[in-house]
């Protein structure tokens, strides 16, 4: 079973940037689409960003579009989420996952998840 480990979270101020990383234990990571979800302090589960296996298709939730950038390095079995102009409403635990779908923003389509990394943005 593939193992995913997120890192890069932390406590920052409004307007700061963070880069999240997702390290996968298996080379099969490169054969799957991947995405980022977050769990808010209100316990809402939100799709953040997704990227197809080849990287040809990328999608974001509207509130992060223009601020966040998803990318992947299949050679290193890693995914990334660059987060700029962070806002307090971005505060959440961020999770990376993989899916056998070509691309998905649906939680139920994802087969494996990491343990998450906390992002806290103060105003």
């Amino acid at each position: 079973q593939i193992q995913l480990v997120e890192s890069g979270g932390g406590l920052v101020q409004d307007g700061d940037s963070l880069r999240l990383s997702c390290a996968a234990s298996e080379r099969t990571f490169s054969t799957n689409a991947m995405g980022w979800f977050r769990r808010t302090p209100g316990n809402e589960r939100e799709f953040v960003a997704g990227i197809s296996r080849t990287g040809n298709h990328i999608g974001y939730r509207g509130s992060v579009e223009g601020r966040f950038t998803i990318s992947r390095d299949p050679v290193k079995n890693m995914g990334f989420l660059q987060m700029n102009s962070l806002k307090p409403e971005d505060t959440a635990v961020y999770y990376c996952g993989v899916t056998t779908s070509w691309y998905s923003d649906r939680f139920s389509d994802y087969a494996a998840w990491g343990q998450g990394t906390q992002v806290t943005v103060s105003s």
Side-chain angles (χ1 to χ4, degrees), residues 5-123:
V5 179
E6 301 93 340
S7 62
L11 174 62
V12 298
Q13 293 191 348
D14 191 355
D16 283 353
S17 297
L18 285 172
R19 190 194 195 207
L20 306 185
S21 297
C22 175
S25 63
E26 301 289 339
R27 192 164 294 180
T28 52
F29 175 80
S30 64
T31 71
N32 290 268
M34 64 90 60
W36 293 87
F37 283 73
R38 65 189 183 187
R39 180 167 52 83
T40 71
N43 207 34
E44 296 182 21
R45 188 171 56 207
E46 300 178 338
F47 169 78
V48 179
I51 184 170
S52 63
R53 180 182 62 82
T54 64
N56 289 338
H57 184 77
I58 293 173
Y60 302 93
R61 70 179 296 106
S63 61
V64 309
E65 202 163 12
R67 298 188 295 119
F68 291 11
T69 302
I70 187 172
S71 62
R72 63 187 302 160
D73 185 342
V75 175
K76 295 182 177 180
N77 298 316
M78 295 190 70
F80 306 95
L81 185 67
Q82 178 67 45
M83 305 186 297
N84 297 330
S85 301
L86 282 162
K87 303 176 180 180
E89 52 263 43
D90 295 318
T91 294
V93 179
Y94 285 72
Y95 301 86
C96 67
V98 295
T99 175
T100 57
S101 299
W102 73 275
Y103 169 87
S104 180
D105 60 2
R106 299 172 60 193
F107 179 82
S108 61
D109 284 341
Y110 284 77
W113 298 94
Q115 293 184 345
T117 185
Q118 176 71 50
V119 173
T120 302
V121 185
S122 62
S123 60

